[in-house]
Amino acid sequence: MTKFEKENQDLFIAIANILNTKGANIEMQSDWDYWRENGYFRSTNIPYIGGGYYGGSEGFYFRAENNHFGISLDELKNSFPINIDGYKFECVSINEFEIDDDRYWSESVGFIVTKDGKNILDN
């Protein structure tokens, strides 16, 4: 987890909520404490946030809950850019569901975050 993620968790929650409102089913983190107490999982309001490199720029990605977002990938891509509190979230990657022998990869959307035209993760 990057320092930016830790300090700006509310931004990622807001982006996930915006995308969920548009029909995208974003994977949320599991509440492990609840599982230990009750024996089953429940989701938090915090999206799963992955990290990646997109054309040489460091960024983030969200995965689809249950492998598919529930809206077309074009609709998802067209939901960007999203501007919140001076940060611009720009879609840089869309990946389809993929299966290979005994493994699978959920649909995902990759994005970079810029402020004043600069990627917030670039030093």
Side-chain angles (χ1 to χ4, degrees), residues 26-31 34 40-46 65:
I26 305 296
E27 179 181 332
M28 298 299 182
Q29 293 180 17
S30 296
D31 184 342
Y34 189 85
Y40 59 94
F41 288 104
R42 72 175 180 186
S43 294
T44 67
N45 70 332
I46 303 165
E65 182 73 28

Side-chain angles (χ1 to χ4, degrees), residues 5 8 12 14 19 22 28-30 46-47 50 59 61 67 80 85 92 100-101 104 107 112-113:
E5 285 174 77
N8 296 281
F12 290 95
L19 295 174
K22 293 180 180 225
M28 298 299 182
Q29 293 180 17
S30 296
I46 303 165
Y61 69 89
N67 300 323
F80 289 86
D85 295 338
V92 292
D100 181 18
D101 295 327
Y104 66 90
E107 291 179 339
I112 60 170
V113 183

Side-chain angles (χ1 to χ4, degrees), residues 63-75:
R63 288 192 302 220
E65 182 73 28
N66 297 321
N67 300 323
H68 300 281
F69 284 115
I71 63 173
S72 77
L73 297 179
D74 284 336
E75 285 179 88

Side-chain angles (χ1 to χ4, degrees), residues 13-96:
I13 292 170
I15 294 298
N17 286 338
I18 289 167
L19 295 174
N20 282 332
T21 300
K22 293 180 180 225
N25 195 5
I26 305 296
E27 179 181 332
M28 298 299 182
Q29 293 180 17
S30 296
D31 184 342
W32 289 95
D33 291 332
Y34 189 85
W35 176 77
R36 282 189 281 280
E37 293 171 13
N38 299 288
Y40 59 94
F41 288 104
R42 72 175 180 186
S43 294
T44 67
N45 70 332
I46 303 165
Y48 169 85
I49 305 165
Y53 285 88
Y54 306 96
S57 292
E58 192 172 0
F60 306 97
Y61 69 89
F62 289 156
R63 288 192 302 220
E65 182 73 28
N66 297 321
N67 300 323
H68 300 281
F69 284 115
I71 63 173
S72 77
L73 297 179
D74 284 336
E75 285 179 88
L76 184 61
K77 185 176 183 175
N78 291 334
S79 297
F80 289 86
I82 300 171
N83 296 291
I84 299 177
D85 295 338
Y87 293 100
K88 184 176 183 180
F89 292 74
E90 301 176 70
C91 179
V92 292
S93 173
I94 294 283
N95 292 300
E96 296 178 351

